Amino acid sequence: MLGDRIAELTTTETGRRVLATVGGLHPALEVSMTGTGHLLGTHVREFITYGSELRPDGSLFGEGQGVGMSATGEAYSWHGSGIGHFTGGGTVSWRGTIYFESAADAFLHLNDLIGVFEFDSDSRGAGTVALYEWK
């Protein structure tokens, strides 16, 4: 069951590159971005990188990681994966899960939860993230 929304971020793409693939069968892309918003009620800034692979049915599988920090220097990291779909006009919609790690008091609760995310990006590389606790 989905629990409370624990984060909302807006993201901006900062880089993109095509990755070498085994046999060139499934095109792969690496994307880097920054994000700002709120996590557990604390204003944060994140640095994110994820790789995605186009699957034969036209969907995407992606894995990524990120690090974030509050204005007072409390840090956390995460790793996640998800499934993406092209939604027209260069937009992509992702759904998946992420797992956190932090030693900072403000983010200790993250160590004990699974985050379920919705990430939607537009054709210019701007995106929005909503993150929920999976209970």
Side-chain angles (χ1 to χ4, degrees):
M1 171 171 100
L2 285 184
D4 297 328
R5 185 180 290 199
I6 59 171
E8 294 180 14
L9 291 105
T10 57
T11 62
T12 302
E13 192 174 298
T14 59
R16 187 184 300 195
R17 68 183 185 132
V18 176
L19 300 174
T21 59
V22 177
L25 298 177
H26 301 283
L29 192 67
E30 180 182 84
V31 176
S32 295
M33 61 182 64
T34 60
T36 58
H38 290 86
L39 174 62
L40 298 177
T42 300
H43 182 73
V44 295
R45 179 178 174 111
E46 283 195 7
F47 299 94
I48 303 159
T49 300
Y50 70 89
S52 62
E53 181 178 291
L54 183 62
R55 302 189 314 176
D57 68 356
S59 66
L60 299 161
F61 174 76
E63 292 185 289
Q65 55 277 328
V67 295
M69 187 175 294
S70 72
T72 58
E74 295 175 295
Y76 59 90
S77 63
W78 60 264
H79 179 85
S81 60
I83 302 294
H85 294 53
F86 295 104
T87 55
T91 63
V92 182
S93 183
W94 290 89
R95 304 296 183 262
T97 57
I98 63 173
Y99 306 89
F100 289 93
E101 186 172 355
S102 181
D105 288 340
F107 302 121
L108 283 177
H109 177 65
L110 297 173
N111 294 328
D112 297 322
L113 65 79
I114 298 170
V116 178
F117 70 85
E118 301 172 338
F119 171 61
D120 296 301
S121 66
D122 67 19
S123 62
R124 296 179 309 274
T128 58
V129 178
L131 179 66
Y132 303 86
E133 180 176 1
W134 185 6
K135 292 188 173 199

